Amino acid sequence: MDSQASNQSRNPELAKALRVIVGSDAVVTDEEALRPFECDGLTAYRELPLMVVLPSTIEEVQRVMRTCAQQSVPVVTRGAGTGLSGGALPLSDGVLLSLTRMNQILDINDSTHTARVQPGVRNLAISEAVQHLGLYYAPDPSSQIACSIGGNVAENSGGVHCLKYGLTVHNILQLKVVTVDGELITVGSEALDAPGYDLLALMTGSEGMLGIVVEVLVKLLPIPPVAQVVMAAFDEVERAGDAVAAIIGGGILPAGLEMMDNYAITAAEDFVHAGYPVDAAAILLCELDGTQDEVDSQIAKVEKILTEYGATDTQVATDEQTRQRFWSGRKAAFPAVGRISPDYYCIDGTIPRRELGTVLTAISSLSEEFGLRVANVFHAGDGNLHPLILYDANKEGELEKTEELGNRILELCVEVGGTVTGEHGVGVEKLRPMCLQFEDPVIEQFHAVKAAWDPHSLLNPGKAVPTLARCAEFGAMHVHQGNLPFSNLERF
Amino acid sequence: MPGRDDIDRLVEKVRTSHRNSEPLRICGSGSKFFLGRPIVGSVLDVKQHTGIVSYEPSELVLTARAGTTLREITKALTASGQILGFEPPWFGENATLGGTVACGLSGPRRPFSGSARDFVLGIKCITGKGELMSFGGQVIKNVAGYDVSRLMVGALGSLGVLTEISIRLLPRHELETTLMLELDEKSALDEMIRLSGLPIPISGLSYSSGLLRIRLSGTENGIASAAAQIGGQDDANGPEYWLQLKEQKLSFFNRNQILWRLSVPVTAPAMNLGNDCLIDWGGALRWVYTDKTDQEMFEFARQLRGHATVFRAESYYQGERFSQLSGVVADLHTRLKSSFDPAGILNSGIMYSNV
């Protein structure tokens, strides 16, 4: 099929108009050149956009939006394309607005401890640029080398340190946003709050549905002088879970608190040789940071708690090299699992921590029921559970089976009072689980919120919030929070 | 859990008011009635909807009905060594959680550990149509759906009647101490900026009457080494000072004059107003008494790249209470308000004439 020709002919007038705005090299319509934009980090979903437009300035974004709005052409905004829920999946009849050329750090302010950056700036690049001032940008999603701050805002990205330092929403002060009509607005402020409704919070995590983030004022924090990690092994997952509760209930706020089950431990150890005990049912990694004095007293407390709660082994990384080694296994957990299985499917549910034992037991039963292996990686501090379902996409029907298992796990997360997505976003991938979590009037309210910003639904249409019709299709398995009592869990 | 579930009555009352387009004035204990523009409406009393619904210290989360008093919540938290991280002002013995979250005010700890909205994880509310809805949840990480919970914080009840709130908690610091440095205003502001950039456990930076007060919260060792680094002298009345600052009980606040709240970047210059200005939030919050007109003050704040609020005013004051919004943003407010409250019955006009 000659889709280049078809792409060109489908809306040559629009391409021409947009080239006038952004320059001819910044409008891509050639199929081969469009190909890299057909998906984001969720590669199971692919679509070629009508065209890709790469503006370099706020004014260009405004003019592109005015043109698209006038012609009722939908627009999908894309940052670095590392998202895991298909939020930046193109629309075949829409413009893909890539903000990668807006990649400048505009200002670093050593007095206000802020940096003003364009949306295409990479997350880690901010911390690198301010390191010499003893400052850093706290949210550290695992993709921080590649992901952009604009995408972080759209997804409200977290990271392993979010229990103590918060999510994107807690670490930004102000946004410049281009509306669907091409108007430029400022939300938030250079002060610590702003008059009117908290549109900064509403924009954060809105997945490109409400407006286009074109500038971000981020908050910078002093780099903690010391960070140390304790690793503890347990012969039962539940004990590790109880230890987590005891640490937090004991008044300690770790900078990071991660858990891996045996399957994930083995995969990671085989891959990067982090020195994990491969016979442990679970390990905990607990990072404490602050001044040396603070860290010393907290490490002592944590070690005591871990031992009390039955850790079979605890090790403190006393030097930076060991600390990095301990983390290397956790950070490599996903690719490590990728090595032992042709494909894996990552679930992103969040649960109240106290339900960990129940949920892991139920996942284990589901895993048997579906005949699919599941490795569990858990942000134990914040309750975000990432079961990785191992499957083979080349086997007939296995992807469908995997998705079904994924939905059952998310159903479980909702039943115990959690959520279907902790950090990856809804995108296109979790529209169906959204119906599990929210009742119809709430979904209608979400649509009303979008309509307040984007009345004709031109910004990333079809993502993030399911239509009620779609939820009705799934009606058979509708499980609203509370309607299915907790006691039903043993059916798994 | 003790308490009283008054939800059916509340929902019914909002439904009836929606049908009749009858304006409502949402009321907790009334401790913060002085905030915002004066409004009329029949009283919707939320203070009977009470009780801590769930509190699991190891989860660092508490869920309570909106009418629950901060007194009751604080009692429960203290027993488990935890605190509300945004150090909310009560402004009254019976202040409720609902009112606190709806007003979105935060105390001296705010720049260092976060604001009211930072700690809200989920809410239940009754929209203007009388529908009871649940947004967010009880978990720290949650990106399913728009963040309506945080949108409600500081909306002064104009988008929904808050009926239940899940809030994130912090462990209580082991120890707290206050240091004092005698400085002029400009040097104090510079020092606050310098200290804010250091990795030390600061939990309050305030300046009044020629004294910079620095509160440290943390472990015994951590505080000792930070204190050695900062110098200055111990303020034995530290705890009392921060409480009176938060509750506006310091003698500074005891004046029959408009109290202006200026929220500005920390780099905003010294105002040299002497005893007419008190600084909190490490320089980002300036409480001011002035003879300037409201328009002059709103403009002044705008020039400082911040905004101004008429925080407390005498009843004769007829002007606006908050810095005005730009055209497009004001329109967005109108449309958002109407999406939650189409008949415009919930605390309408409390923030601006359109919301």
Side-chain angles (χ1 to χ4, degrees):
Chain A
M1 189 184 89
D2 187 356
S3 57
Q4 180 188 337
S6 70
N7 267 336
Q8 288 283 23
S9 62
R10 271 160 61 201
N11 206 333
E13 287 306 313
L14 178 66
K16 198 174 151 195
L18 295 179
R19 283 195 174 102
V20 172
I21 298 168
V22 295
S24 52
D25 71 317
V27 176
V28 179
T29 53
D30 173 82
E31 185 189 335
E32 204 176 323
L34 286 177
R35 196 54 76 187
F37 295 95
E38 68 180 351
C39 65
D40 59 14
L42 183 72
T43 54
Y45 295 79
R46 290 165 196 266
E47 186 77 68
L48 277 186
L50 189 60
M51 64 191 78
V52 174
V53 179
L54 298 126
S56 300
T57 65
I58 291 176
E59 204 209 335
E60 285 180 2
V61 175
Q62 290 182 267
R63 292 175 65 196
V64 167
M65 285 316 300
R66 271 181 222 130
T67 305
C68 290
Q70 274 159 13
Q71 302 192 21
S72 298
V73 175
V75 175
V76 175
T77 312
R78 176 185 163 111
T82 56
L84 292 172
S85 57
L89 179 73
L91 293 167
S92 63
D93 62 346
V95 162
L96 186 77
L97 190 72
S98 167
L99 299 184
T100 47
R101 289 191 183 179
M102 297 176 72
N103 60 357
Q104 299 301 305
I105 295 177
L106 302 172
D107 182 47
I108 293 167
N109 191 320
D110 191 15
S111 297
T112 52
H113 305 125
T114 56
R116 188 174 288 283
V117 302
Q118 291 187 322
V121 171
R122 290 175 306 112
N123 172 299
L124 189 60
I126 301 174
S127 290
E128 286 169 352
V130 300
Q131 193 180 7
H132 66 285
L133 300 169
L135 300 170
Y136 78 117
Y137 175 65
D140 57 344
S142 55
S143 56
Q144 70 175 155
I145 293 177
C147 64
S148 68
I149 189 73
N152 288 179
V153 173
E155 301 293 330
N156 192 16
S157 305
V160 295
H161 293 99
C162 73
L163 174 66
K164 184 166 178 183
Y165 295 105
L167 308 161
T168 303
V169 71
H170 303 113
N171 289 279
I172 57 176
L173 294 169
Q174 188 183 48
L175 297 174
K176 284 188 181 165
V177 175
V178 171
T179 66
V180 68
D181 299 323
E183 298 280 355
L184 179 65
I185 62 168
T186 301
V187 301
S189 85
E190 291 176 47
L192 289 176
D193 48 29
Y197 295 146
D198 198 335
L199 302 185
L200 183 69
L202 184 61
M203 272 301 298
T204 311
S206 63
E207 303 198 18
M209 305 281 287
L210 306 182
I212 297 161
V213 174
V214 291
E215 199 176 288
V216 189
L217 184 69
V218 302
K219 188 169 90 175
L220 305 171
L221 297 180
I223 299 173
V226 179
Q228 278 187 358
V229 179
V230 189
M231 176 172 69
F234 291 86
D235 53 14
E236 277 176 45
V237 173
E238 286 75 12
R239 286 193 183 179
D242 292 344
V244 167
I247 290 170
I248 292 168
I252 293 161
L253 198 57
L257 189 54
E258 297 286 314
M259 188 194 289
M260 294 162 75
D261 72 359
N262 179 267
Y263 210 60
I265 296 168
T266 324
E269 186 57 23
D270 284 349
F271 185 28
V272 296
H273 313 294
Y276 292 167
V278 290
D279 53 345
I283 59 166
L284 278 184
L285 290 171
C286 178
E287 179 158 300
L288 287 316
D289 69 7
T291 61
Q292 186 70 58
D293 294 313
E294 288 173 311
V295 172
D296 285 348
S297 55
Q298 296 202 11
I299 288 266
K301 269 193 185 174
V302 166
E303 273 195 286
K304 187 161 171 275
I305 292 171
L306 289 169
T307 311
E308 270 173 28
Y309 278 78
T312 51
D313 181 34
T314 61
Q315 290 179 48
V316 183
T318 46
D319 57 78
E320 184 58 20
Q321 201 185 350
T322 317
R323 173 176 167 259
Q324 293 297 346
R325 183 164 55 80
F326 282 179
W327 276 117
S328 69
R330 168 61 190 89
K331 286 182 176 168
F334 285 21
V337 167
R339 279 172 82 235
I340 56 170
S341 171
D343 300 282
Y344 69 88
Y345 187 77
C346 176
I347 311 295
D348 180 40
T350 300
I351 55 171
R353 278 183 299 262
R354 62 177 175 274
E355 305 292 354
L356 180 66
T358 315
V359 170
L360 287 181
T361 308
I363 289 178
S364 162
S365 312
L366 282 169
S367 164
E368 272 175 43
E369 182 188 327
F370 280 78
L372 291 166
R373 293 176 299 170
V374 179
N376 288 292
V377 177
F378 184 48
H379 300 301
D382 55 48
N384 194 195
L385 184 63
H386 292 312
L388 304 171
I389 306 173
L390 280 58
Y391 74 104
D392 183 350
N394 289 325
K395 280 193 192 159
E396 178 78 22
E398 199 154 294
L399 174 61
E400 291 71 24
K401 203 163 76 165
T402 300
E403 288 187 328
E404 185 55 33
L405 171 54
N407 277 319
R408 293 281 292 276
I409 293 174
L410 290 179
E411 198 177 335
L412 186 64
C413 293
V414 173
E415 278 174 42
V416 300
T419 174
V420 297
T421 175
E423 59 184 354
H424 296 167
V426 175
V428 288
E429 187 208 17
K430 297 185 203 73
L431 289 169
R432 179 174 165 180
M434 281 289 281
C435 308
L436 295 172
Q437 186 166 339
F438 294 104
E439 309 212 11
D440 290 356
V442 176
I443 289 187
E444 273 184 277
Q445 184 60 52
F446 285 148
H447 287 299
V449 167
K450 174 159 174 72
W453 292 73
D454 178 19
H456 305 296
S457 199
L458 293 177
L459 292 171
N460 219 5
K463 310 274 181 66
V465 182
T467 59
L468 288 180
R470 188 164 178 152
C471 285
E473 279 173 42
F474 302 135
M477 55 173 298
H478 229 94
V479 191
H480 284 312
Q481 199 165 346
N483 290 356
L484 232 184
F486 187 56
S487 57
N488 282 22
L489 289 181
E490 66 263 27
R491 66 200 162 89
F492 296 112
Chain B
M1 291 280 174
R4 180 163 174 265
D5 185 346
D6 199 18
I7 197 70
D8 293 340
R9 187 187 66 82
L10 291 170
V11 168
E12 194 43 50
K13 171 107 181 169
V14 178
R15 277 193 190 149
T16 309
S17 299
H18 174 241
R19 267 198 307 275
N20 304 334
S21 292
E22 178 203 21
L24 289 172
R25 180 170 183 245
I26 307 164
C27 177
S29 79
S31 61
K32 289 174 262 297
F33 266 179
F34 59 85
L35 268 182
R37 302 163 87 242
I39 52 166
V40 288
S42 93
V43 167
L44 181 71
D45 184 356
V46 187
K47 74 172 177 294
Q48 305 299 327
H49 187 54
T50 58
I52 295 173
V53 178
S54 72
Y55 173 39
E56 188 83 39
S58 70
E59 299 284 334
L60 284 180
V61 176
L62 174 139
T63 301
R65 297 196 184 102
T68 316
T69 60
L70 292 183
R71 192 176 51 239
E72 184 183 343
I73 289 169
T74 305
K75 196 175 153 199
L77 297 185
T78 306
S80 298
Q82 296 185 342
I83 56 169
L84 291 171
F86 57 105
E87 203 177 1
W90 293 23
F91 295 142
E93 275 303 294
N94 299 313
T96 63
L97 179 64
T100 298
V101 170
C103 292
L105 301 174
S106 311
R109 199 177 295 274
R110 190 262 171 262
F112 314 98
S113 55
S115 64
R117 75 94 135 119
D118 288 341
F119 286 91
V120 168
L121 298 177
I123 55 113
K124 284 186 184 165
C125 68
I126 308 168
T127 65
K129 288 179 275 189
E131 290 178 305
L132 181 64
M133 293 191 185
S134 176
F135 295 98
Q138 300 184 18
V139 288
I140 293 166
K141 264 166 141 181
N142 186 352
V143 291
Y146 301 120
D147 198 344
V148 171
S149 314
R150 292 196 174 97
L151 179 67
M152 292 281 168
V153 184
L156 299 174
S158 65
L159 295 175
V161 182
L162 300 180
T163 61
E164 193 177 299
I165 294 140
S166 291
I167 202 146
R168 206 190 146 210
L169 309 166
L170 285 182
R172 187 184 190 83
H173 35 271
E174 218 169 78
L175 204 72
E176 203 155 84
T177 192
T178 300
L179 301 171
M180 287 187 299
L181 294 173
E182 216 170 307
L183 292 169
D184 62 55
E185 187 181 357
K186 185 184 178 308
S187 312
L189 284 167
D190 290 344
E191 182 66 0
M192 288 195 254
I193 286 172
R194 190 185 73 83
L195 291 171
S196 298
L198 298 179
I200 49 178
I202 295 178
S203 65
L205 282 175
S206 155
Y207 178 77
S208 64
S209 314
L211 282 180
L212 169 62
R213 282 188 177 79
I214 302 147
R215 183 173 62 180
L216 300 167
S217 307
T219 62
E220 192 176 347
N221 292 340
I223 285 183
S225 64
Q229 206 176 329
I230 295 165
Q233 52 174 317
D234 274 326
D235 180 3
N237 294 322
E240 195 58 22
Y241 174 81
W242 297 105
L243 181 66
Q244 291 187 346
L245 168 63
K246 169 172 88 83
E247 296 302 331
Q248 301 194 334
K249 295 273 174 65
L250 294 170
S251 59
F252 170 86
F253 294 103
N254 190 19
R255 280 164 68 165
N256 292 325
Q257 204 180 339
I258 290 178
L259 173 65
W260 283 92
R261 176 188 187 275
L262 299 186
S263 180
V264 293
V266 292
T267 43
M271 292 173 184
N272 297 316
L273 295 170
N275 289 330
D276 288 347
C277 176
L278 184 149
I279 304 175
D280 194 6
W281 290 8
L285 190 61
R286 320 265 173 113
W287 296 104
V288 169
Y289 294 104
T290 177
D291 292 330
K292 288 200 169 82
T293 67
D294 50 353
Q295 285 319 308
E296 283 171 336
M297 284 304 281
F298 286 126
E299 177 56 22
F300 178 56
R302 195 187 65 77
Q303 283 173 5
L304 295 174
R305 310 180 81 79
H307 64 101
T309 305
V310 174
F311 199 76
R312 290 181 193 265
E314 298 295 297
S315 53
Y316 62 80
Y317 179 79
Q318 296 292 316
E320 288 295 337
R321 303 293 293 251
F322 303 98
S323 285
Q324 295 298 292
L325 306 172
S326 77
V328 179
V329 175
D331 289 348
L332 267 173
H333 277 66
T334 310
R335 291 199 296 270
L336 277 170
K337 162 80 173 168
S338 138
S339 81
F340 284 92
D341 178 20
I345 57 166
L346 301 178
N347 276 7
S348 283
I350 194 164
M351 201 180 265
Y352 300 105
S353 59
N354 59 331
V355 288

